């Protein structure tokens, strides 16, 4: 296999040029205002209008002024104090710049979208102040540790067994997550925050716009989408987008380049962020904005549109090593694990999907798995522990442990062709079984070998859906030699490339962040 080699000890030791900055703070609209936007004006909406005037006045000054608000809701205060401030505190001091940064300098704009605080509280915290998990929302603690989420609790095997078995859930883990300090409960929609944290410590960050080879725009569009997608009033749903665009138009560099060599990271799928402007469809109008036509988007699944400059990057997993030794420990762990099941399927076969055919196909997978229950293990992802159900979102480390017990892991399409589960299976050393080329083969070409048979199994979706083929028997017929070869490719060559190391790591190998920037610079120079 041939991979692009970007690793060198000197590359990782580069120092960055950065100064202490304060992020732009956008005001947060009220959820009650969203409900009444088309019926009655409310006092809060009037305050928002006054705030918008202040914002426009602030953008006309030579230096971006930090807008002051009377009080911040709990979530906004948490983000400011625990995420952003922690990033800024480590960026002070003089730094030396290495010659290898030539052609890789990045200028980072000073803008962050403020969350819709009222919708965030409704989405994440109940009236009693207790966290509840909901698909699409960042669960409580999901933005801590620079976007990695909460550290996975270091429970003993007996502790885990007690927790999982209390609701009849079958515990059979043969390994533990090691090293413990490298594992976090990372949400699939935290990519924007995680990438921003790593960019803050990027070796070739510069404050000299004339020196920059690329321009990073850290707007958390995916985070805003999670909090406003269900708002029917477009003027409220799109408010942060419009504020962001107004700010961007006023930037000297943006006016000069019109978005060329600019890039933005999007933490959600295309369907959530490419709504046509002024239509009442699902999503936010990000990629459809004329002002952003020249900008390059890095996100977890390509839209495959001729009108969008895009690069597919991996979903964040729960594994964030800080050193080469961390990676080595985990590689050795999954190399020696006893895989009890031939195949595992973690996902829902009950809830509604965007396409009815998706649900029907998953139900057929579930049906075949139950008939072969001595070889196949099916677990339904839900919000709490129940019989044969696990909370895949709030405790993603359970997914890794489950996949570490299987040789093959099914990766059927859901609402989108891509899945976080695909990368979870790679981290667990489990061979992914895909049913569409858009799940991974066409999405992440810089991260995966050009020959998909080196690391994955492709099965015909139509034949399985019609009951013509049995996927369990098809997987059982794969030779032991081929299985071992794929497992080694996954463990030794692919795993290091699809993970996001800790922002303060000292690794020598290129991770997802490094490869994403390499793709970006290559596209700009070509």
């Amino acid at each position: 296999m041939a991979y692009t080699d970007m690793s060198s000890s000197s590359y990782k030791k580069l120092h960055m040029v950065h100064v202490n900055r304060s992020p732009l703070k956008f005001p947060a609209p009220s959820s009650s205002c969203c409900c009444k936007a088309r019926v009655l004006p409310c006092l809060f909406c009037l305050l928002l209008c006054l705030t918008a005037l202040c914002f426009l006045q602030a953008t006309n000054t030579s230096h971006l002024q930090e807008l002051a608000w009377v009080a911040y809701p709990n979530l906004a205060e948490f983000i400011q104090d625990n995420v952003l401030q922690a990033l800024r505190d480590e960026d002070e001091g003089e730094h030396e710049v290495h010659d290898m940064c030539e052609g890789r300098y990045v200028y980072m704009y000073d803008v962050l979208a403020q969350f819709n605080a009222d919708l965030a509280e409704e989405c994440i915290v109940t009236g009693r102040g207790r966290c509840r998990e909901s698909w699409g929302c960042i669960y409580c603690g999901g933005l801590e540790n620079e976007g990695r989420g909460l550290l996975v609790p270091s429970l003993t095997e007996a502790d885990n067994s007690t927790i999982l078995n209390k609701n009849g859930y079958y515990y059979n883990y043969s390994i533990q997550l090691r090293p413990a300090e490298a594992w976090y409960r990372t949400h699939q929609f935290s990519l924007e925050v995680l990438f921003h944290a790593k960019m803050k410590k990027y070796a070739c960050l510069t404050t000299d716009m004339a020196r920059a080879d690329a321009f990073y725009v850290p707007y958390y569009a995916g985070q805003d989408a999670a909090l406003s997608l269900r708002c029917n009033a477009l003027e409220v749903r799109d408010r942060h987008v419009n504020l962001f665009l107004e700010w961007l138009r006023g930037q000297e560099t943006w006016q000069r380049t019109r978005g060329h060599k600019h890039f933005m990271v999007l933490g959600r799928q295309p369907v959530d962020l490419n709504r046509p402007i002024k239509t009442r469809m699902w999503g936010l109008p990000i990629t459809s904005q004329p002002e952003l036509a020249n900008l390059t988007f890095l996100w977890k699944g390509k839209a495959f549109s001729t009108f969008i400059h895009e690069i597919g990057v991996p979903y964040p997993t729960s594994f964030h090593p800080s050193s080469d030794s961390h990676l080595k420990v985990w590689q050795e762990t999954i190399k020696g694990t006893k895989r009890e099941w031939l195949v595992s399927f973690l996902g829902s076969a009950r809830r509604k999907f965007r396409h009815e055919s998706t649900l029907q196909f998953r139900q057929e997978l579930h049906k075949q798995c139950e008939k072969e229950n001595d070889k196949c293990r099916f677990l339904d992802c839900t919000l709490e522990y129940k019989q044969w159900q696990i909370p895949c979102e709030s405790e993603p480390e359970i997914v890794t442990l489950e996949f570490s017990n299987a040789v093959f892991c099914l990766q059927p399409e859901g609402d989108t062709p891509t899945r976080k589960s695909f990368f979870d299976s790679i981290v667990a050393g489990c061979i992914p079984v895909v049913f569409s080329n858009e799940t991974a083969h066409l999405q992440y070409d810089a991260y995966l070998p050009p020959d998909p048979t080196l690391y994955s199994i492709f099965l015909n979706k139509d034949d399985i859906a019609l009951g013509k083929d049995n996927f369990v028997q098809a997987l059982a017929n794969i030779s032991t030699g081929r299985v071992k070869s794929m497992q080694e490719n996954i463990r030794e060559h692919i795993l290091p490339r699809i993970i996001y190391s800790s922002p303060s790591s000292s690794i020598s190998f290129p991770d997802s962040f490094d490869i994403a920037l390499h793709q970006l610079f290559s596209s700009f120079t070509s």
Side-chain angles (χ1 to χ4, degrees):
M1 292 180 292
Y3 297 95
T4 302
D5 183 14
M6 300 189 305
S7 62
S8 70
S9 58
S10 58
Y11 175 76
K12 277 296 171 184
K13 295 179 181 178
L14 303 181
H15 300 288
M16 71 177 181
V17 177
H18 188 46
V19 295
N20 190 25
R21 302 187 181 106
S22 296
L24 175 67
K25 297 172 183 157
F26 289 149
S30 166
S31 58
S32 60
C33 188
C34 171
C35 299
K36 302 177 182 179
R38 286 183 279 179
V39 182
L40 294 174
C42 61
L43 178 60
F44 195 74
C45 290
L46 294 177
L47 293 175
L48 289 180
C49 292
L50 295 176
T51 299
L53 293 176
C54 294
F55 172 79
L56 293 176
Q57 181 179 1
T59 59
N60 291 327
T61 60
S62 58
H63 297 283
L64 190 62
Q65 299 295 324
E66 184 173 322
L67 303 182
W69 311 106
V70 176
Y72 279 101
N74 292 336
L75 183 64
E77 289 180 343
F78 167 77
I79 295 168
Q80 178 65 31
D81 295 339
N82 293 280
V83 180
L84 307 181
Q85 187 61 47
L87 296 178
R88 291 198 303 270
D89 288 345
E90 299 180 15
D91 291 334
E92 298 180 355
E94 297 296 327
H95 301 282
E96 177 186 353
V97 179
H98 197 282
D99 291 340
M100 286 190 65
C101 282
E102 202 63 43
R104 291 181 179 272
Y105 285 108
V106 177
Y107 175 83
M108 182 166 60
Y109 280 102
D110 236 354
V111 57
L112 286 173
Q114 182 58 285
F115 295 90
N116 182 321
D118 287 339
L119 286 178
E121 289 184 353
E122 176 184 342
C123 188
I124 299 176
V125 183
T126 66
R128 297 180 181 180
R130 301 175 67 90
C131 298
R132 66 182 178 91
E133 284 66 47
S134 176
W135 186 91
C137 303
I138 299 294
Y139 43 69
C140 197
L143 294 179
E144 288 193 20
N145 295 306
E146 301 169 307
R148 286 166 291 173
L150 297 173
L151 194 66
V152 173
S154 298
L155 301 177
T156 64
E157 185 171 344
D159 292 332
N160 280 328
S161 180
T162 301
I163 293 173
L164 298 177
N165 278 322
K166 64 181 180 181
N167 287 322
Y169 178 76
Y170 177 37
Y171 172 89
N172 68 337
Y173 303 149
S174 61
I175 64 171
Q176 292 183 334
L177 299 178
R178 298 190 305 130
E181 60 270 26
W183 291 91
Y184 296 81
R185 290 178 170 172
T186 305
H187 197 281
Q188 64 169 324
F189 294 151
S190 66
L191 178 62
E192 293 156 337
V193 180
L194 177 60
F195 198 97
H196 186 202
K198 289 182 69 65
M199 183 58 71
K200 287 270 189 176
K201 297 177 174 62
Y202 177 56
C204 303
L205 202 62
T206 180
T207 57
D208 184 357
M209 290 186 290
R211 193 179 196 180
D213 303 288
F215 300 86
Y216 171 49
V217 185
Y219 170 54
Y220 293 177
Q223 300 298 326
D224 279 342
L227 308 175
S228 61
L229 279 176
R230 290 175 174 81
C231 182
N232 291 325
L234 293 185
E235 63 272 21
V236 177
R237 194 200 306 179
D238 299 346
R239 211 180 80 81
H240 286 167
V241 177
N242 294 330
L243 284 173
F244 161 69
L245 291 173
E246 186 68 28
W247 180 89
L248 197 59
R249 294 187 197 105
Q251 304 306 303
E252 177 185 351
T253 306
W254 184 264
Q255 294 172 356
R256 186 171 69 249
T257 64
R258 295 299 177 186
H260 289 288
K261 296 191 176 181
H262 284 68
F263 69 98
M264 179 190 299
V265 178
L266 301 178
R268 296 181 70 97
Q269 295 86 352
V271 68
D272 295 330
L273 299 171
N274 63 357
R275 191 195 88 220
I277 302 173
K278 295 184 179 179
T279 63
R280 294 193 175 276
M281 298 169 60
W282 176 265
L284 292 183
I286 302 297
T287 61
S288 58
Q289 296 293 336
E291 291 94 334
L292 305 181
N294 297 323
L295 185 142
T296 300
F297 297 99
L298 277 61
W299 54 4
K300 301 175 300 185
K302 297 178 184 178
F304 296 105
S305 169
T306 56
F307 303 102
I308 301 176
H309 302 285
E310 59 183 354
I311 294 175
V313 297
Y315 283 70
T317 67
S318 295
F319 183 47
H320 304 280
S322 297
S323 64
D324 290 9
S325 62
H326 283 181
L327 173 64
K328 188 64 176 178
V329 166
W330 180 244
Q331 287 173 321
E332 290 299 318
T333 299
I334 59 176
K335 181 179 180 180
T337 185
K338 176 185 177 182
R339 299 189 180 267
E340 180 177 341
W341 301 94
L342 173 68
V343 55
S344 283
F345 175 26
L346 272 68
S348 177
R350 304 179 185 181
R351 73 174 182 87
K352 292 183 179 180
F353 289 89
R354 199 174 304 276
H355 303 290
E356 182 65 25
S357 59
T358 300
L359 177 59
Q360 294 174 356
F361 178 62
R362 286 184 170 220
Q363 288 176 340
E364 179 61 29
L365 292 177
H366 184 196
K367 177 181 176 181
Q368 292 190 16
C369 189
E370 285 190 324
K371 288 183 179 180
E372 303 276 0
N373 58 15
D374 60 328
K375 300 183 182 69
C376 183
R377 176 171 169 91
F378 169 77
L379 289 173
D380 195 357
C381 287
T382 184
L383 301 180
E384 58 183 324
Y385 288 109
K386 293 182 179 179
Q387 185 72 34
W388 295 102
Q389 293 182 318
I390 59 174
C392 299
E393 280 294 310
S394 61
E395 298 186 27
E397 73 274 12
I398 301 297
V399 176
T400 302
L401 288 169
E402 283 293 336
F403 282 166
S404 70
N405 264 331
V407 177
F408 300 99
C409 296
L410 301 186
Q411 305 299 339
E413 296 181 81
D415 288 321
T416 62
T418 61
R419 298 188 78 202
K420 177 180 182 292
S421 176
F422 176 88
F423 297 100
D424 289 331
S425 69
I426 294 292
V427 169
C430 187
I431 301 170
V433 180
V434 299
F435 308 90
S436 169
N437 284 321
E438 291 187 7
T439 298
H441 302 161
L442 299 179
Q443 298 277 359
Y444 313 105
D445 49 334
Y447 299 87
L448 303 172
D451 182 1
T453 63
L454 295 175
Y455 64 91
S456 65
I457 300 296
F458 184 91
L459 296 181
N460 189 298
K461 177 180 178 180
D462 295 334
D463 289 344
I464 294 175
L466 295 174
K468 295 180 179 180
D469 286 345
N470 183 293
F471 74 86
V472 178
Q473 292 302 320
L475 296 175
N477 291 333
I478 297 176
S479 68
T480 302
R482 186 184 175 191
V483 166
K484 290 184 177 180
S485 177
M486 286 191 288
Q487 288 175 333
E488 181 180 1
N489 288 334
I490 289 172
R491 182 179 64 250
E492 302 298 330
H493 302 293
I494 302 177
L495 192 160
R497 301 172 65 85
I498 59 91
I499 57 178
Y500 294 88
S501 63
S502 170
S504 300
S505 66
S506 58
I507 60 173
S508 64
F509 58 89
D511 68 351
S512 286
F513 175 83
D514 298 318
I515 297 173
L517 291 184
H518 180 78
Q519 290 186 87
L520 195 72
F521 287 119
S522 297
S523 66
F524 288 164
T525 55
S526 63

